[in-house]
């Protein structure tokens, strides 16, 4: 039912997999539809977080973590005792429940049975209490020495800026190219634009980024090859242009191709022929009649581009050392920062699922045939 | 120490000469195709257009480069020549007299040789992983859409769950040294690699179940060959010692199949839902054909255009995924010549020395481009039918 861009949905026969199919399963108005989707999202986040919780807490990871926390070449026994004392040896579901906030979290006790704070930078409850994700406590980041919530919100803001500019560059360029190619299907303009689109879709971010850096930073010296200053000293054209273009390039080709197919199809519809025969001017036909219908598919595609963009953003942030969400996530994974990694997964799954819902809603709003049902 | 440099024309000539087996094979295949175009059916029609011709040529170029890597590459992938450290393109190695056409990298390895050997890694893992993922997706997607109900709900939910996860994060969680120490990759591979065997068995059984002798023979052969490869891949216990995969590669392979198969599942499910309503399916049902026969021998052949196109696109996508893994330094050994790792290695010095970065970047891009063009040509052809 939810069609994401994963696997790059093909035009043609696959178009029956569009999101509004889900409406056939029982339309009882807007509220019902939204409620169903939100419920689905919650259930999915529950299972995903449980799977991730299991995977980041596998034995070798815990051992490594205990080793780094005890600051010593501790023996197996010592490590076992440390893990026991900090509750890592409790039942899996109990620990997951504590993290989620449906079971009370117990404080860490020292030898005398007094509650101690494990981290100087991050508060933990002194008495057993419900204090998990549902209560808004995402835990403590051992890598950044900060509460996870603080770290994530800062990183998300930085990534939001990057994504915003990437969209500002990508969407108009892709739509313009796609519409232009679509209304002149088969001409030389169309062929040239289509070639460009295929070329950009063949360039993953790490390829486009390297090429752009060589051309614009090394040879021409126009732009910064690193975006590290963007998060510390503020965003300027010089330090963010390369990451933004790199993200935009890979996504733009796909959106443009889908727009082209959609426009080309609309241009062959009977109502366009009628408009022509009626003697309407060409621009009027395009802007009044064709564009509105031609934009329905691209809109869905743009929203569903989010999971892909998220991947691209991770690579780009790593490549240009832009300290955003992706950069944080990779560092969390690299240094086995359990709480931070869990929160990052939760946030990214939330983003992906909510864009899917938004795209469904947008699809219905844009498509009058469904709206009136 | 100053190195002697070959001129640009000399370098290009050297490059062209080095690749002679590739040119020969490419020329052979393309001229044969051109000569017998009329009799080759769909494949012949594919090369009648420019898009298909270019796409096919690029893909074949890399295929032959990987096959003849030992002849084409002047050095082995790991050979380090201190004198050639970061040598610029066209530098001549004083010891062997060979030209470093694309220069040397930070460890004094020939960038050209590494690029050629890198194609081996990519062309070995990407297509095989894609085929495996296709089989998993098809074996689960067909019944999910055909029967519907509870199984469909559960499988769709699982597929959506995997797909709602950013691929890179999935890799970071699945392809870490920590996970490699556990039995997780083995369990995953044990489950995922069962599907190709099931798929082939079903294929034979549904078709030839009326000829017990033949079907027994086929099933036995499938189980024998499948079981042999399965034992080699999953348990690393191939009695003949031919099928062997390192722990690293198994982990990558499983992660890629796991990440790709849900989207195959979804596409297969989509077209099955559509084809299910066609008349010839109703006809087959009326004839009293079994459900699996209808799925495998009525529906699948009718979706072949779509499937072949999808495989092409998906191999390109898998190539990108492998590059991502290499670029992030996940799974693949640090001295592995694959393109992603090469791009990562050259990244640190990119601002000063661009030449080690360009060959792997262009290689990866061209292969994906070739596959995309091929997919375009295939799609056009599928629509013409």
């Amino acid at each position: 039912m939810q069609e994401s861009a994963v696997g790059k949905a093909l035009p043609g026969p696959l178009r029956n997999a569009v999101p509004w199919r889900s409406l056939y399963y029982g339309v009882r108005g807007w509220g019902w539809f939204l409620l169903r989707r939100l419920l689905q999202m919650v259930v999915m986040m529950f299972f995903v977080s449980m799977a991730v919780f299991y995977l980041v807490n596998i034995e070798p990871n815990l051992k490594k973590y205990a080793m780094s926390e005890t600051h010593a070449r501790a023996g197996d026994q010592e490590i076992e005792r440390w893990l026991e004392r900090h509750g890592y040896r409790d039942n899996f579901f109990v620990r997951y429940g504590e993290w989620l906030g449906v079971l009370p979290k117990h404080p860490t006790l020292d030898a005398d049975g007094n509650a101690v704070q494990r981290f100087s930078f991050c508060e933990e409850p002194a008495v057993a209490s419900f204090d998990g994700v549902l209560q808004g406590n995402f835990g403590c980041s051992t890598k950044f020495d900060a509460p996870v919530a603080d770290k994530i919100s800062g990183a998300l803001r930085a990534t939001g800026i990057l994504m915003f500019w990437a969209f500002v560059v990508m969407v108009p360029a892709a739509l313009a190219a796609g519409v232009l190619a679509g209304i002149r299907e088969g001409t030389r303009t169309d062929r040239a634009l289509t070639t460009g689109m295929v070329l950009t879709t063949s360039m993953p971010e790490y390829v486009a980024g390297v090429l752009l850096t060589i051309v614009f930073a090394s040879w021409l010296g126009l732009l910064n090859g690193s975006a590290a200053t963007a998060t510390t000293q503020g965003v300027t054209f010089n330090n963010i242009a390369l990451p933004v273009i790199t993200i935009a390039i890979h996504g733009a080709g796909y959106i443009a191709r889908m727009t082209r197919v959609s426009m080309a199809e609309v241009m062959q519809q009977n109502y366009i022929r009628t408009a022509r025969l009626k003697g309407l001017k060409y621009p009027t036909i395009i802007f009044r009649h064709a564009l509105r219908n031609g934009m329905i598919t691209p809109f869905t595609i743009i929203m569903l581009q989010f999971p892909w963009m998220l991947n691209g953003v991770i690579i780009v942030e790593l490549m240009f050392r832009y300290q955003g969400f992706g950069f944080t996530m990779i560092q969390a994974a690299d240094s086995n920062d359990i709480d931070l990694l869990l929160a990052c997964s939760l946030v990214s799954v939330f983003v992906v699922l909510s864009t899917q819902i938004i795209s469904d809603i947008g699809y219905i709003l844009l498509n009058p045939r469904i709206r009136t049902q | 120490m100053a190195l002697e440099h070959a001129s640009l024309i000399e370098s290009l000539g050297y490059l062209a000469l080095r690749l002679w087996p590739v040119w020969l094979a490419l020329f052979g295949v393309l001229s044969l195709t051109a000569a017998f175009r009329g009799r080759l059916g769909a494949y012949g029609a594919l090369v009648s257009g420019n898009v298909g011709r270019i796409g096919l040529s690029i893909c074949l170029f890399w295929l032959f480069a990987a096959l003849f890597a030992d002849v084409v590459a002047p050095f082995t992938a790991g050979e380090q020549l201190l004198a050639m450290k970061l040598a610029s393109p066209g530098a001549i190695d004083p010891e062997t007299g060979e030209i470093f056409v694309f220069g040397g990298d930070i460890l004094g390895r020939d960038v050209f040789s590494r690029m050629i050997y890198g194609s081996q890694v990519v062309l070995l893992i990407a297509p095989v992983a894609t085929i495996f993922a296709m089989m998993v997706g098809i074996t689960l997607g067909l019944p999910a859409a055909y029967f519907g109900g509870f199984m469909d709900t559960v499988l769709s939910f699982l597929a959506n769950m995997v797909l709602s996860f950013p691929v890179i994060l999935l890799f970071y969680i699945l392809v870490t040294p920590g996970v490699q120490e556990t039995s997780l990759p083995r369990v995953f591979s044990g489950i995922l690699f069962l599907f190709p065997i099931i798929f082939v068995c079903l294929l034979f059984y549904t078709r030839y179940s009326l000829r017990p002798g033949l079907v027994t023979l086929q099933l036995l052969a499938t189980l024998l060959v499948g079981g042999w490869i399965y034992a080699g891949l999953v348990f690393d216990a191939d009695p003949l010692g031919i099928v062997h995969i390192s722990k690293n590669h198994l982990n990558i392979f499983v992660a890629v199949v796991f990440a790709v198969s849900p989207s195959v599942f979804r596409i297969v499910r989509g077209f099955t839902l559509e084809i299910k309503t066609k008349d010839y399916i109703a006809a087959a049902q009326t004839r009293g054909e079994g459900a699996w026969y209808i799925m495998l021998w009525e529906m699948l052949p009718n979706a072949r255009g779509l499937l072949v196109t999808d495989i092409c696109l998906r191999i390109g996508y898998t190539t990108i995924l492998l590059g991502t893994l290499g670029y992030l330094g996940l799974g693949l050994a640090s001295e592995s010549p694959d393109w992603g790792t090469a791009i990562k290695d050259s990244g640190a010095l990119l601002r000063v020395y661009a030449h080690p970065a360009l060959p792997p970047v262009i290689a990866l891009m061209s292969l994906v481009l070739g596959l995309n063009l091929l997919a375009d040509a295939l799609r056009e052809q599928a629509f013409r039918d």
Side-chain angles (χ1 to χ4, degrees):
Chain A
M1 278 168 258
Q2 307 149 15
E3 176 66 10
S4 94
V6 176
K8 307 254 159 170
L10 306 167
L14 288 179
R15 202 116 12 87
N16 84 318
V18 287
W20 49 267
R21 247 173 175 280
S22 58
L23 283 186
Y24 289 150
Y25 293 91
V27 191
R28 272 180 238 163
W30 272 96
W32 180 247
F33 168 69
L34 258 181
L35 197 73
R36 245 180 67 113
R37 297 303 309 267
L38 286 176
L39 210 71
Q40 252 178 20
M41 181 160 118
V42 171
V43 173
M44 201 164 277
M45 282 175 75
F46 174 77
F47 281 107
V48 167
S49 62
M50 198 187 273
V52 178
F53 194 85
Y54 175 76
L55 282 168
V56 295
N57 278 302
I58 51 171
E59 190 58 29
N61 282 359
L62 284 184
K63 280 244 170 75
K64 220 170 6 174
Y65 179 52
M67 206 107 75
S68 68
E69 285 299 296
T70 47
H71 301 298
R73 271 180 242 99
D76 283 350
Q77 271 185 338
E78 220 167 311
I79 285 180
E80 194 57 40
R81 218 170 326 137
W82 188 90
L83 286 173
E84 190 108 26
R85 196 152 54 90
H86 289 85
Y88 286 105
R89 283 289 179 253
D90 294 350
N91 179 281
F92 169 76
F93 293 101
V94 172
R95 294 190 47 218
Y96 177 72
E98 288 176 3
W99 174 80
L100 197 64
V102 294
L103 289 174
K105 205 182 258 175
H106 294 283
T108 315
L109 303 176
D110 63 6
D112 304 329
N114 297 320
V116 286
Q117 294 287 332
R118 281 200 288 158
F119 311 108
S120 56
F121 48 84
C122 178
E123 274 183 38
E124 287 186 315
V127 287
S129 57
F130 295 99
D131 190 24
V133 169
L134 291 178
Q135 284 81 21
N137 181 5
F138 285 88
C140 308
S141 160
T142 49
K143 162 81 186 166
F144 293 101
D145 290 352
V148 167
D150 294 358
K151 184 67 201 166
I152 292 245
S153 59
L156 274 178
R157 199 173 314 121
T159 296
I161 296 172
L162 185 63
M163 286 267 234
F164 171 76
W165 287 114
F167 263 76
V168 166
V169 173
M170 177 175 79
V171 172
L175 290 184
V179 168
L180 203 62
I183 57 179
R184 309 219 169 132
E185 202 191 1
T187 62
R188 194 171 288 169
T189 326
D190 176 33
R191 271 205 298 278
L193 283 170
T194 310
T195 313
M197 293 171 203
V198 181
L199 203 64
T200 61
T201 34
S202 312
M203 271 200 264
E205 287 81 6
Y206 48 92
V207 166
V210 166
L211 289 178
L212 289 172
T213 310
I214 290 176
V215 174
F216 287 103
S218 304
W219 289 353
L220 300 178
L222 288 175
L223 303 166
N224 287 12
S226 153
T229 52
T231 34
T232 51
Q233 295 159 19
V235 171
T236 63
F237 176 77
N238 269 349
N239 63 24
I240 210 172
L242 279 183
V244 164
I245 301 171
T246 307
I247 298 177
I249 276 188
H250 188 52
Y254 184 61
I255 298 178
R257 293 195 71 178
M258 287 298 154
T259 312
R260 176 182 168 275
V261 172
S262 170
M263 274 311 276
E265 197 165 290
V266 167
M267 290 306 282
Q268 287 171 2
Q269 296 292 319
N270 285 336
Y271 57 79
I272 298 293
R273 195 185 56 190
T274 313
R276 270 206 189 133
L277 294 178
K278 224 160 58 171
L280 284 185
K281 287 202 192 83
Y282 195 62
T284 319
I285 298 175
I286 299 297
F287 285 104
R288 280 271 178 76
H289 297 257
L291 264 186
R292 241 201 100 181
N293 288 302
M295 280 303 111
I296 297 172
T297 317
F299 173 79
T300 339
I301 297 288
I302 290 170
M303 287 319 288
L304 295 175
Q305 207 49 15
F306 252 93
W308 286 92
M309 299 265 300
L310 219 52
N311 275 321
V313 163
I314 297 175
I315 300 256
V316 165
E317 288 186 358
L318 201 64
M319 179 176 258
F320 294 101
R321 310 203 66 72
Y322 183 87
Q323 319 247 337
F325 181 70
F327 193 79
T328 311
M329 187 148 91
I330 296 299
Q331 295 221 300
D334 269 341
S335 51
N336 199 31
D337 188 338
I338 294 176
D339 281 349
L340 187 56
L341 193 54
L342 273 167
C344 283
S345 332
L346 215 55
V347 169
S348 42
V349 172
F350 175 77
V351 170
V352 171
L353 292 179
S354 38
T355 48
Q356 282 175 4
I357 295 183
I358 296 174
S359 110
D360 282 11
I361 295 172
Y363 196 89
I364 298 164
L365 281 180
L366 282 172
N367 197 335
R369 275 169 300 191
I370 297 170
R371 198 174 48 208
T372 48
Q373 265 179 11
Chain B
M1 188 180 69
L3 289 164
E4 272 189 60
H5 278 71
S7 69
L8 184 66
I9 295 175
E10 273 174 335
S11 298
L12 288 179
Y14 175 83
L15 189 67
L17 270 182
R18 266 279 154 201
L19 288 166
W20 70 265
V22 177
W23 302 134
L24 200 67
L26 203 59
F27 178 76
V29 171
L30 290 182
S31 52
L32 277 180
T33 309
F36 298 103
R37 201 163 74 197
R39 281 188 252 162
L40 287 170
Y43 171 69
L46 182 67
V47 290
S48 59
N50 265 334
V51 176
R53 228 174 280 154
I54 297 173
L56 187 72
S57 309
I58 299 177
C59 294
L60 283 178
F61 174 87
W62 284 115
L63 181 68
F64 292 133
L67 279 178
F68 302 123
D70 293 330
V71 187
V72 172
F75 301 94
T76 60
E79 208 168 329
Q80 303 180 5
L81 295 154
L82 274 182
M84 304 305 285
K85 202 162 158 182
L86 289 170
S88 52
I92 299 172
D93 176 31
E95 274 176 51
T96 53
E98 299 279 0
I99 303 176
F100 272 45
V101 199
F102 296 143
D105 68 1
I106 181 122
L107 292 172
R109 296 172 296 195
D110 181 25
V111 174
F112 171 65
S113 301
R114 283 178 71 72
M115 180 186 84
I116 295 291
Y117 276 107
S119 65
Q120 279 187 332
V121 181
V122 175
L123 284 169
L124 191 69
I125 300 185
V128 181
T130 309
I131 303 287
F132 269 59
M134 289 304 281
M135 289 193 189
V136 176
I138 291 173
T139 318
L140 292 176
L142 283 173
Y146 190 81
F147 297 119
F150 181 65
M151 188 173 99
D152 184 26
T153 314
V154 172
L155 285 175
S156 297
F157 183 80
L158 284 178
N160 284 339
M161 199 166 111
V162 178
L163 289 180
S164 70
F165 219 69
V167 186
I168 292 182
L169 191 55
L170 195 73
F171 282 159
Y172 252 100
I173 293 174
L174 284 182
V175 196
T176 56
V179 171
Q180 276 174 39
E181 284 169 36
T182 64
S183 55
L184 224 57
R186 201 140 280 181
V187 173
F188 266 93
S189 61
I191 299 170
L192 288 177
F193 295 174
L194 269 183
F195 285 102
I197 301 181
I198 298 176
F199 178 77
V200 177
C201 282
L202 276 174
L203 214 55
F204 283 137
Y205 182 75
T206 48
R207 180 79 193 212
Y208 299 106
S209 56
L210 293 178
R211 297 163 65 186
L214 184 66
V215 84
T216 323
L217 200 72
Q218 284 167 337
L219 287 184
L220 270 179
T222 312
L223 287 177
L224 209 67
V225 176
W228 169 49
I229 297 176
Y230 187 83
L233 289 183
V234 179
F235 299 108
D236 202 3
D238 174 21
L240 302 176
I242 301 171
V243 181
H244 165 76
I245 187 166
S246 71
K247 245 182 165 177
N248 274 343
H249 282 112
L250 180 70
N251 203 185
I252 292 179
F253 199 78
V254 170
V256 170
V257 174
F258 184 73
V260 175
S261 39
S263 45
V264 181
F265 167 83
R266 200 186 275 184
I267 284 195
V268 172
R269 185 179 169 274
F271 78 65
T272 312
L273 280 178
E274 191 174 280
I275 296 181
K276 215 169 97 175
T277 56
K278 294 270 164 70
D279 286 342
Y280 57 82
I281 300 300
Q285 283 165 339
T286 322
R287 277 204 311 273
E289 304 283 11
W292 278 100
Y293 176 86
I294 294 177
M295 283 185 247
L296 293 175
W297 294 100
E298 300 277 349
M299 288 179 161
L300 219 47
N302 280 295
R304 66 180 183 280
L306 196 73
L307 280 177
V308 174
T309 314
D310 194 53
I311 286 180
C312 260
L313 277 181
R314 221 167 275 280
I315 293 178
Y317 173 58
T318 320
T319 308
I320 293 181
L321 279 188
L322 274 178
T324 310
L325 279 171
Y327 185 74
L328 295 173
L330 286 172
L332 293 152
S334 59
E335 73 277 1
S336 156
D338 74 287
W339 299 332
T341 311
I343 297 173
K344 177 195 72 175
D345 289 344
S346 59
L349 288 171
L350 196 56
R351 298 294 302 282
V352 200
Y353 298 102
H355 69 263
L358 279 174
V361 157
I362 288 171
L364 196 137
M365 198 173 92
S366 66
L367 178 60
V368 178
L369 181 68
L371 287 162
N372 278 350
L373 289 176
L374 207 55
D376 268 7
L378 284 165
R379 181 185 304 155
E380 214 157 87
Q381 209 185 328
F383 272 97
R384 213 181 299 144
D385 288 347

